[in-house]
Amino acid sequence: MKKPFLIGLTGSIGMGKSTTAAMFVRQSCDLWDADAAVHRLYGPGGAAVAPIGALHPAAVVGGAVSRAALKSWIAMDKGALPRIEAVVHPLVARDRAEFIAHSNADIVVLDIPLLFETGAAAQMDAVVVVTAPADLQRARVLARPGMTQAHFDTIAAKQMADVDKRARADYVIETTSVVAAEAAVAEVLIQIRKKFHA
């Protein structure tokens, strides 16, 4: 079995990444979602529960890792985040590797919000960045339940600037309209499959 072609899919918050990921699935790609992997690892019976509980017992509530407890721990202790990441990043990487190993698709799309920031881009065969104008991005994010401008600014500050992501991408997909994004996904896959099967 030929190793699948790995597409790293990324984009800043509100750029339409989840919608675009679903478009790749409709075009016969397998999809691994980094956020969903973390949810599995933090959930009851998840591989991150015991090691995080060993670091900070208060972070485990009802047999699962509590994101609220993690947030308050990180806010109080500057050394907490690197210690959490040292546990979680290898587990996420293992989850991703197992998914790729069990995939029968010719192309696997890896939806990773911090693809560049975590260095995961280096492991991809191609990188696709989703983008949209800043005003549309802001409107989408602020329409989410419970989202505030301050929270949006905090999230955006942790992410690489959109212009820098686009500069590093092999392919850029504009998500200003669903029809245009669908067409762009189809075109990216035509190009990749041509090269991949050559």
Side-chain angles (χ1 to χ4, degrees):
M1 175 78 187
K2 197 174 181 183
K3 176 184 167 292
F5 187 97
L6 304 181
I7 294 177
L9 178 69
T10 196
S12 300
I13 185 171
M15 292 300 196
K17 187 167 53 59
S18 299
T19 304
T20 307
M23 294 174 185
F24 278 99
V25 173
R26 288 197 288 276
Q27 297 273 352
S28 303
C29 298
D30 274 352
L31 174 69
W32 179 85
D33 181 320
D35 287 341
V38 172
H39 278 286
R40 284 194 300 277
L41 293 168
Y42 282 1
V49 177
I52 285 181
L55 286 180
H56 189 69
V60 175
V61 179
V65 175
S66 161
R67 286 175 180 257
L70 282 188
K71 266 187 193 165
S72 60
W73 179 31
I74 290 164
M76 288 184 309
D77 179 357
K78 278 191 171 61
L81 185 59
R83 289 165 72 203
I84 293 164
E85 287 176 342
V87 166
V88 176
H89 285 180
L91 293 173
V92 170
R94 189 173 76 194
D95 189 278
R96 183 171 73 218
E98 285 172 1
F99 182 89
I100 294 164
H102 290 101
S103 172
N104 292 316
D106 63 335
I107 297 174
V108 173
V109 175
L110 303 155
D111 178 343
I112 305 176
L114 299 176
L115 182 75
F116 293 117
E117 293 87 339
T118 59
Q123 297 155 37
M124 304 299 138
D125 296 311
V127 171
V128 174
V129 167
V130 292
T131 188
D135 55 345
L136 178 57
Q137 176 196 21
R138 178 173 279 102
R140 284 172 177 168
V141 176
L142 293 180
R144 295 180 183 184
M147 183 60 71
T148 62
Q149 182 68 49
H151 188 38
F152 170 48
D153 291 342
T154 301
I155 293 167
K158 289 178 186 162
Q159 299 183 332
M160 183 183 287
D162 179 53
V163 65
D164 296 329
K165 284 180 180 164
R166 283 185 278 123
R168 293 185 183 200
D170 297 295
Y171 303 94
V172 175
I173 293 177
E174 293 254 354
T175 63
T176 44
S177 87
V178 171
V179 174
E182 286 266 19
V185 167
E187 182 55 34
V188 165
L189 290 173
I190 285 167
Q191 289 182 35
I192 285 173
R193 284 185 168 126
K194 254 188 208 160
K195 285 184 208 164
F196 187 52
H197 295 301

